[in-house]
Amino acid sequence: MNKVWFNYKTRDLNTTFFSERLSNRSLALWLSASNAVWIARDNILNSGVFYLSLTYGKPILGPNSGNINEHLVNVNGVVFNSTESEHLKGSFDDLISVMNNWKAKNLEQYEPENIAIQFDQLLIDSCQT
């Protein structure tokens, strides 16, 4: 993601873009202070940002590609078409419109105990085939 492009596209919003790795402390402070989180990546989709956003109770905007799309739909996130830049602008508008009343849904399946059970079952199933 190009930082100049992002700053131009979001010039009317109070936004901050990070392309570098943040320390754990900085990340925690920024997530606490944020109103929402945008997952800008569309080619590397194994991001802990999704789960951290849920932990901090923040509405999430993310791409319609990979497994992130499925997770976003499942928790009431806002999805943008990662191949159409014009769709992204409308998605920001959607995110802004839901920020004040956003409530995640289906969070129980993302609790660590439930993820561990699913992973155990995956291992069991793979050993039986």
Side-chain angles (χ1 to χ4, degrees):
M1 181 61 60
N2 182 317
K3 192 171 188 173
V4 173
W5 178 89
F6 174 81
N7 288 334
Y8 172 76
K9 289 302 243 180
T10 60
R11 66 190 174 280
D12 297 331
L13 304 172
N14 182 10
T15 60
T16 304
F17 179 86
F18 296 102
S19 58
E20 67 279 355
R21 186 174 182 87
L22 298 175
S23 70
N24 291 343
R25 179 174 168 74
S26 292
L27 180 60
L29 290 171
W30 279 105
L31 281 170
S32 293
S34 70
N35 294 325
V37 174
W38 173 33
I39 301 174
R41 59 179 72 201
D42 65 352
N43 60 354
I44 301 172
L45 298 174
N46 187 13
S47 172
V49 174
F50 171 81
Y51 301 101
L52 284 170
S53 301
L54 293 178
T55 300
Y56 283 82
K58 305 301 178 179
I60 311 164
L61 169 63
N64 65 343
S65 54
N67 64 350
I68 293 289
N69 178 48
E70 178 183 334
H71 292 306
L72 286 168
V73 169
N74 195 40
V75 300
N76 248 4
V78 177
V79 179
F80 70 91
N81 184 333
S82 59
T83 61
E84 297 179 24
S85 59
E86 283 306 310
H87 190 259
L88 181 58
K89 182 183 182 320
S91 298
F92 275 120
D93 294 340
D94 293 344
L95 182 63
I96 290 167
S97 70
V98 301
M99 279 192 321
N100 293 330
N101 300 314
W102 184 80
K103 296 284 186 240
K105 63 179 185 176
N106 300 320
L107 292 182
E108 62 281 349
Q109 77 181 56
Y110 296 99
E111 292 176 3
E113 180 179 313
N114 292 331
I115 289 177
I117 291 169
Q118 291 173 20
F119 187 69
D120 287 347
Q121 189 60 53
L122 176 69
L123 291 176
I124 290 168
D125 291 346
S126 67
C127 290
Q128 292 176 349
T129 58

